[in-house]
């Protein structure tokens, strides 16, 4: 069957970012809808798709995006945004359903979650079910694929299993660690999603998908331990550990922030296994068979160790984090703005300084007082922020939209400028910007500029900045000095 014109919502997300190149490889023409298409600029497939700016909560934007489209992939989930994510997800689904029906779209495809019938569901799972029902009632042939926990490099479920297992030699755990789950490898999820674009037009309904293994959730942790070369962990179910308390624990010991941990854990309160295999008659399993859990873990670990992570849950914006870009300097007139600016000139080549700048954060750290950064990261986690454990997608290369610990790459001009926007919990909006340019000295070298910018919110924001001025002086002064020193050392060694 010839390729179709498809629209992908959520292309900056974990599944969407992996689906787009596979749709292109299958011969489809791909359009993506994004509030900020700039976040797609560095994707390997960016030049091969049509990017449309728009918001799923604006009906006109959705109507424009679906014009001339045959298949719509609805892959947006709002749980990371916090607040009433269920209402936001339902409103978006209604707009997609109405626009698809009006535009004569041939197929809607939605990725939902496995869930038991007849039980009271968590808010997270109930929202997935409600969205699926809204799309199924659209009048457009719809396939809702219901998957359990997805295992792949960069998935939130995998990161939660990984870090809980690696950090804790002994795991006090809620009773739901004895519940049954049916994990599915991300490669198999993508197999079903790609194939759904070309199924017969009369196919309509919800279909369970899952891998070949049914495990207790505790077994997924110890299965990870075996593949990671760790001792298996004793697990002691505790009846007093409520889902809310468990999410706080996950928030503290894993990179997964509270806003994502709470709905993920809520979905583990049930046995989530495949109840039917009707999908096999419509989309056969991959030719090599479905991927077992341990092999999926092995593949994910290999990808992470190689730094080859296509997409990550980290792409989701942190709950409550500002999304507005850094205002231009003239727009600050009449506003309160705090800055901390540092400059250095070094004999190191600009390319050497840039390599250090682009690799900042994650395992390499921030080149200044690690203890203070750790304390600030822990404080952020305690109030539900992302903290420092979120890390980076890639150890040496950044692209717009990537996360770097509690920052997000707002803008990058490779070789010259990197701007990071804070997603930690602060009473205001914060950025840090690094600039590297050739030195004016004819003998060569580089000129390095660094500035932290803070737009406070009310008196609390001002007091926050003033209270940190002494710490900032130490942190930012050391950061500037050490970045150029490390660049010089690495340049000399090259």
């Amino acid at each position: 069957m010839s390729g179709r014109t498809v629209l992908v919502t959520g292309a900056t997300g974990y599944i969407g970012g992996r689906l787009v190149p596979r749709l292109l490889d299958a011969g489809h023409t791909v359009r993506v809808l994004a509030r900020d298409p700039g976040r797609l600029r560095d994707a390997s497939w960016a030049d091969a798709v049509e990017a449309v700016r728009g918001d799923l909560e604006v009906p006109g934007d959705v109507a424009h995006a679906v014009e001339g489209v045959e298949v719509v992939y609805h892959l947006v989930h709002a749980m990371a945004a916090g607040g009433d994510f269920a209402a936001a997800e339902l409103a978006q689904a209604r707009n997609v359903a109405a626009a698809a029906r009006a535009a004569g779209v041939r197929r809607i495809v939605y990725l939902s979650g496995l869930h038991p019938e007849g039980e009271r569901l968590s808010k997270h799972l109930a929202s997935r079910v409600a969205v699926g029902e809204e799309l199924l009632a659209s009048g457009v042939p719809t396939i809702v694929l219901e998957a359990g926990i997805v295992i792949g490099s960069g998935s939130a479920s995998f990161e939660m299993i990984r870090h809980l297992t690696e950090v804790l030699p002994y795991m006090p755990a809620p009773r739901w660690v004895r519940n049954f789950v049916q994990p599915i490898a991300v490669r198999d999820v993508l197999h079903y999603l790609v194939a759904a674009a070309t199924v017969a037009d009369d196919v309509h309904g919800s279909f369970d998908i899952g891998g070949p293994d049914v495990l207790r959730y505790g077994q997924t942790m110890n299965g990870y331990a075996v593949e990671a070369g760790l001792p298996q962990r004793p697990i002691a179910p505790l009846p007093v550990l409520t889902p809310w308390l468990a999410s706080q624990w996950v928030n503290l010991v894993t990179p997964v922030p509270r806003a994502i941990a709470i709905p993920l854990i809520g979905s583990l309160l049930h046995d989530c296994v495949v109840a039917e295999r009707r999908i096999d008659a419509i989309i056969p399993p991959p030719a090599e068979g479905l991927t077992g859990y341990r092999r999926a873990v092995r593949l994910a670990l290999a990808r992470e160790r190689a730094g080859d992570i296509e997409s990550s849950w980290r792409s989701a914006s942190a709950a409550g984090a500002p999304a507005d870009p850094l205002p231009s300097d003239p727009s600050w007139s009449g506003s309160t703005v705090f800055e901390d600016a540092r400059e250095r000139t070094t004999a190191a080549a600009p390319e050497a300084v840039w390599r250090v700048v682009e690799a900042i954060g994650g395992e390499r750290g921030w080149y200044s007082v690690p203890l203070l950064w750790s304390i600030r990261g822990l404080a952020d986690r305690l109030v539900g922020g992302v903290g420092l454990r979120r890390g980076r997608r890639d150890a040496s290369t950044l692209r717009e939209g990537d996360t770097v610990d509690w920052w997000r790459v707002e803008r990058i001009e490779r070789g010259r400028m990197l701007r990071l926007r804070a997603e930690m919990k602060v009473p205001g909006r914060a950025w840090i910007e690094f600039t590297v340019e050739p030195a004016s000295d004819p003998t060569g070298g580089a000129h390095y500029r660094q500035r932290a910018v803070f737009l406070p919110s009310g008196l609390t924001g001002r007091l926050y900045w003033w209270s940190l001025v002494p710490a900032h002086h130490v942190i930012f002064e050391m950061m500037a000095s050490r970045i150029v020193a490390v660049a010089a050392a690495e340049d000399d060694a090259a």
Side-chain angles (χ1 to χ4, degrees):
M1 187 177 292
S2 60
R4 293 183 172 179
T5 302
V6 305
L7 171 70
V8 177
T9 69
T12 59
Y14 177 67
I15 295 294
R18 298 186 180 215
L19 177 63
V20 168
R22 288 159 177 81
L23 290 171
L24 291 168
D25 289 344
H28 301 297
T29 300
V30 180
R31 178 184 300 167
V32 299
L33 174 66
R35 282 178 293 183
D36 179 12
R39 289 182 58 184
L40 302 169
R41 188 177 299 124
D42 291 330
S44 60
W45 41 263
D47 293 337
V49 305
E50 177 190 0
V52 176
R53 184 182 299 274
D55 190 325
L56 283 172
E57 295 190 31
V58 179
D61 289 355
V62 184
H64 172 65
V66 301
E67 289 178 2
V69 165
E70 296 172 272
V71 181
V72 173
Y73 284 91
H74 185 54
L75 301 175
V76 171
H77 301 295
M79 66 182 185
D84 192 356
F85 69 84
E89 289 183 346
L90 191 57
Q92 293 167 357
R94 285 172 177 158
N95 288 338
V96 169
R101 181 172 59 250
V105 168
R106 294 173 63 177
R107 162 79 55 211
I108 297 173
V109 182
Y110 174 63
L111 183 62
S112 185
L114 281 176
H115 60 277
E117 297 293 337
E119 293 185 24
R120 183 178 179 181
L121 301 177
S122 68
K123 187 176 181 181
H124 165 56
L125 277 180
S127 178
R128 296 284 177 96
V129 172
V131 168
E133 290 175 346
E134 188 71 30
L135 297 174
L136 287 166
S138 65
V140 177
T142 297
I143 289 179
V144 176
L145 297 172
E146 298 184 344
I149 58 175
V150 176
I151 304 299
S153 57
S155 81
S157 297
F158 177 69
E159 290 289 305
M160 194 163 82
I161 292 169
R162 172 190 174 190
H163 285 271
L164 283 173
T165 308
E166 290 186 347
V167 171
L168 303 174
Y170 169 80
M171 281 185 279
R175 283 177 295 183
W176 46 255
V177 296
R178 291 180 172 172
N179 287 351
F180 287 101
V181 294
Q182 193 160 356
I184 183 169
V186 66
R187 58 173 52 200
D188 294 337
V189 174
L190 295 168
H191 164 79
Y192 288 115
L193 286 170
V194 171
T198 52
V199 300
D201 288 348
D202 60 350
V203 174
H204 180 79
S206 296
F207 303 89
D208 291 356
I209 59 173
D213 300 320
V214 176
L215 306 166
R216 294 189 188 275
Y217 191 77
Q219 290 177 308
T220 68
M221 297 182 191
N222 278 321
Y224 172 87
V226 171
E227 293 301 327
L230 301 170
Q232 294 200 34
R233 299 335 197 192
I235 299 174
L238 300 179
V240 296
L241 199 56
T242 66
W244 185 88
L245 285 173
S247 68
Q248 312 312 306
W249 181 240
V250 169
N251 175 65
L252 285 175
V253 302
T254 82
V256 181
R258 188 182 301 163
I260 294 178
I262 289 175
L264 281 180
I265 287 174
S267 67
L268 297 173
L269 299 179
H270 319 276
D271 288 336
C272 291
V273 298
V274 170
E276 45 81 17
R277 283 284 188 182
R278 293 181 298 118
I279 192 65
D280 290 346
I282 299 163
I283 303 174
E288 66 277 13
L290 293 167
T291 308
Y293 173 71
R294 296 253 311 258
R295 180 166 182 259
V297 169
R298 195 156 55 246
L299 292 169
L301 284 172
R303 288 258 185 173
E304 292 201 345
R305 288 164 181 161
D308 183 18
I309 302 177
E310 286 184 75
S311 61
S312 171
W313 64 269
R314 296 169 176 84
S315 301
S317 297
D324 296 335
L326 176 67
S328 59
D329 291 357
S331 71
W332 291 349
S333 178
S335 300
T336 299
V337 179
F338 297 117
E339 280 192 270
D340 183 291
R342 314 277 166 167
E343 297 187 31
R344 296 288 188 277
T345 299
T346 174
E351 296 81 8
V353 180
W354 176 257
R355 283 194 296 271
V356 177
V357 167
E358 192 173 3
I360 200 166
E363 293 296 323
R364 295 195 69 167
W366 292 87
Y367 300 101
S368 60
V369 199
L371 178 61
L372 292 180
W373 284 92
S374 297
I375 292 171
R376 183 62 182 88
L378 177 59
D380 195 50
R381 298 292 288 186
L382 289 173
V383 296
V386 294
L388 287 174
R389 289 198 183 92
R390 195 165 54 166
R392 301 169 48 114
R393 176 190 57 85
D394 184 278
S396 59
T397 303
L398 292 174
R399 61 190 186 195
E400 288 189 15
D402 274 0
T403 57
V404 183
D405 297 326
W406 62 50
W407 306 88
R408 186 173 297 277
V409 179
E410 179 175 282
R411 185 178 175 190
I412 184 169
E413 297 175 18
R414 187 154 282 105
R416 195 190 80 82
M417 190 272 283
L418 172 65
R419 181 185 300 150
L420 305 176
R421 182 180 70 244
E423 292 191 335
M424 56 187 163
K425 301 286 188 180
V426 291
R429 297 158 59 199
W431 294 262
I432 188 166
E433 185 177 87
F434 308 89
T435 306
V436 181
E437 295 177 337
S440 56
D441 191 323
T443 62
H447 189 69
Y448 168 82
R449 296 186 183 89
Q450 166 192 304
R451 67 170 182 162
V453 179
F454 184 65
L455 276 63
S457 177
L459 177 61
T460 304
R462 290 159 174 79
L463 293 174
Y464 170 83
W465 177 268
W466 292 330
S467 70
L468 291 176
V469 165
H472 282 169
H473 178 75
V474 174
I475 289 170
F476 292 134
E477 180 71 13
M478 183 180 293
M479 179 187 289
S481 297
R482 288 205 59 213
I483 282 176
V484 296
V486 170
E490 293 183 356
D491 198 27
D492 288 342

